Amino acid sequence: MLLFVVSFAALCTAAARPPLSYLENHFAADNESEEVRSAAIKRLLEVFGMEDPPAIHRHKQPPQYMLDLYNTVADVDGVTKDPYLLEGNTVRSFFDKLRSEQVEFRFNLSTVSRTEKILTAELHLFKLQPLAPLTFNRHHFCQVSVYQLLDTSKNNKTQDKKLLSSRLIPVHSTGWEVFTITQAVRSWMIDEGSNMGLHVVVRTLGGSQMDGKLIRFASGRNHHQSKQPMLVLFTDDGRRRSTSLESIDPNDTTATSSLPQASMSGPSSRSTRSLDYSEEEGVSLPCQRLPLYVDFEEIGWSGWIVSPRGYNAYHCKGSCRFPLGQNMRPTNHATVQSIINALKLIKGIEKPCCVPDKLFSINLLYFDDAENVVLKQYNDMVAGSCGCH
């Protein structure tokens, strides 16, 4: 609808100008079209909470954990299965930047806004098979502790590390182990310079240092990316909100400006009224939900978005003619307005409008500029149903 309005205004302006040659008209139309596209893309980026599209990372593979998490919270079109499955509305994964052979790790969190609320932070470590044979090994469990390294040069600190998480794990096991490190990440967000990294210590149940051949974790230096140490951060950027569609006045242009033109039908407008009729049959169509597919590849975003490739936003179109049946899902206000309009009791009262009365969120899995993989949930992106309001 935005494209139609801008193009119509441009044509009215062009009619008042002196005649141009065909070539000049062609270039002017191209420039105006490019301006409209640029403005539309910029506005769409704002909807997704970005200023510019991230860089393209065509050959990068997202962590399996992030793919599994996306498939847990979203359906094949990216629509949220259950709004309470995800803690907060943003999940980020960070790979270790030290890439050390030692059990020390550091993560660059500069892409996280200071305004975001830190909910949970997890250190994911992949435990490898022991190198030493377990046949004669008397140890079946070990104590794995994760410490936050401290900057002893600040505030005359005497301790060089702080315990964050500690638990028992089987010596013979292999696979991912997860440790909570929320306290450390919150302190790093307050003072970025205090991020000295993390240190992992493995001990026997008696407290002595464990043989490195028995307990090994994959490092960023010598192991495949699928097993590299990873920090997973759950946050909320404050954009999560509950929309009360019943409170929207359908005749308020500020409230309906983002809705399809078909939702603003009225007897005083011939152009908008014609949108409520079938072009083939010439009959009035009732308020209904129709497809509106958003293709990220056509927009030029497929290079940095992992999933989905696009989604069906749907749109509402049709007439809210008197009398309004329950299948039109009318509000009491819409029913009264429909009666006033039908009886022509008050001049200038329009018919109710066909608008979304239920909205769903979608999830986007994508690479940011720092090559971190982000899972973000966006509210009010899909029209779940339509009604006369």
Side-chain angles (χ1 to χ4, degrees):
M1 198 61 257
L2 173 63
L3 296 177
F4 174 81
V5 173
V6 175
S7 299
F8 181 77
L11 288 173
C12 292
T13 305
R17 296 174 184 166
L20 297 174
S21 68
Y22 170 81
L23 190 60
E24 288 174 322
N25 274 320
H26 178 73
F27 283 124
D30 282 349
N31 289 335
E32 289 175 352
S33 177
E34 186 58 37
E35 288 177 6
V36 170
R37 176 180 173 81
S38 177
I41 294 298
K42 182 179 180 181
R43 182 67 187 94
L44 191 58
L45 283 167
E46 291 175 1
V47 170
F48 286 100
M50 305 175 187
E51 293 184 2
D52 298 296
I56 295 176
H57 306 287
R58 296 189 185 278
H59 303 295
K60 296 286 290 185
Q61 292 295 322
Q64 188 61 45
Y65 174 84
M66 297 298 288
L67 289 172
D68 293 341
L69 183 61
Y70 172 84
N71 290 325
T72 298
V73 302
D75 65 15
V76 292
D77 295 319
V79 179
T80 304
K81 295 178 182 178
D82 183 340
Y84 300 104
L85 283 175
L86 194 64
E87 184 180 13
N89 59 10
T90 309
V91 186
R92 292 182 177 86
S93 60
F94 304 86
F95 283 123
D96 172 43
K97 296 301 181 182
L98 280 182
R99 300 176 66 84
S100 170
E101 293 184 0
Q102 307 299 319
V103 279
E104 291 189 1
F105 314 100
R106 184 179 295 175
F107 303 91
N108 183 355
L109 307 180
S110 60
T111 56
V112 182
S113 171
R114 290 182 178 272
T115 60
E116 291 187 45
K117 183 179 180 180
I118 306 299
L119 300 175
T120 303
E122 299 174 343
L123 175 65
H124 290 223
L125 299 177
F126 190 87
K127 186 177 175 298
L128 301 167
Q129 287 281 6
L131 288 177
L134 297 177
T135 308
F136 304 104
N137 177 37
R138 60 187 179 87
H139 300 294
H140 296 287
F141 288 88
C142 62
Q143 185 85 27
V144 180
S145 303
V146 179
Y147 292 88
Q148 175 186 355
L149 296 177
L150 304 176
D151 185 357
T152 55
S153 65
K154 292 185 177 181
N155 302 323
N156 297 318
K157 291 180 180 177
T158 56
Q159 292 184 328
D160 60 351
K161 59 185 178 182
K162 176 182 178 182
L163 179 63
L164 298 172
S165 180
S166 183
R167 61 187 180 85
L168 298 177
I169 64 172
V171 171
H172 62 273
S173 68
T174 182
W176 288 100
E177 300 291 343
V178 180
F179 303 88
T180 301
I181 57 169
T182 310
Q183 190 176 0
V185 173
R186 284 176 177 165
S187 68
W188 295 339
M189 293 304 299
I190 295 173
D191 180 8
E192 186 178 347
S194 67
N195 184 358
M196 308 303 292
L198 302 169
H199 181 60
V200 177
V201 176
V202 182
R203 295 188 177 92
T204 65
L205 298 186
S208 59
Q209 196 80 13
M210 199 80 173
D211 186 350
K213 292 182 179 181
L214 293 177
I215 297 296
R216 301 183 306 130
F217 292 105
S219 68
R221 179 187 292 263
N222 298 322
H223 299 93
H224 190 267
Q225 180 177 312
S226 64
K227 297 179 179 179
Q228 288 184 14
M230 182 172 63
L231 187 154
V232 178
L233 182 61
F234 295 80
T235 68
D236 196 303
D237 63 5
R239 290 162 59 97
R240 182 185 292 269
R241 60 185 177 85
S242 176
T243 302
S244 177
L245 291 173
E246 288 78 8
S247 65
I248 296 177
D249 180 0
N251 290 318
D252 181 0
T253 56
T254 60
T256 58
S257 59
S258 62
L259 298 173
Q261 186 70 19
S263 69
M264 292 181 273
S265 60
S268 61
S269 173
R270 182 177 179 181
S271 60
T272 56
R273 186 170 68 249
S274 65
L275 290 174
D276 293 337
Y277 288 80
S278 167
E279 294 181 1
E280 295 180 357
E281 301 177 8
V283 296
S284 178
L285 295 175
C287 177
Q288 58 190 292
R289 189 179 75 153
L290 298 174
L292 175 60
Y293 189 76
V294 180
D295 191 327
F296 291 134
E297 185 172 358
E298 287 188 2
I299 298 173
W301 290 3
S302 60
W304 54 274
I305 293 180
V306 178
S307 199
R309 310 314 297 173
Y311 75 100
N312 203 334
Y314 293 98
H315 72 288
C316 298
K317 180 178 179 179
S319 176
C320 293
R321 300 171 65 86
F322 177 83
L324 296 179
Q326 288 304 309
N327 61 317
M328 297 292 185
R329 304 169 63 91
T331 60
N332 289 336
H333 180 275
T335 300
V336 173
Q337 180 175 329
S338 174
I339 294 170
I340 298 296
N341 170 266
L343 297 179
K344 297 181 173 55
L345 297 179
I346 301 176
K347 186 178 180 180
I349 299 299
E350 306 282 350
K351 290 186 297 183
C353 297
C354 179
V355 297
D357 60 3
K358 184 182 293 183
L359 293 168
F360 299 138
S361 61
I362 66 166
N363 300 266
L364 221 61
L365 188 68
Y366 65 91
F367 286 98
D368 66 13
D369 281 324
E371 299 187 358
N372 304 311
V373 175
V374 182
L375 170 60
K376 202 168 184 67
Q377 201 168 84
Y378 298 91
N379 284 346
D380 304 343
M381 299 295 287
V382 175
S385 61
C386 300
C388 292
H389 290 217

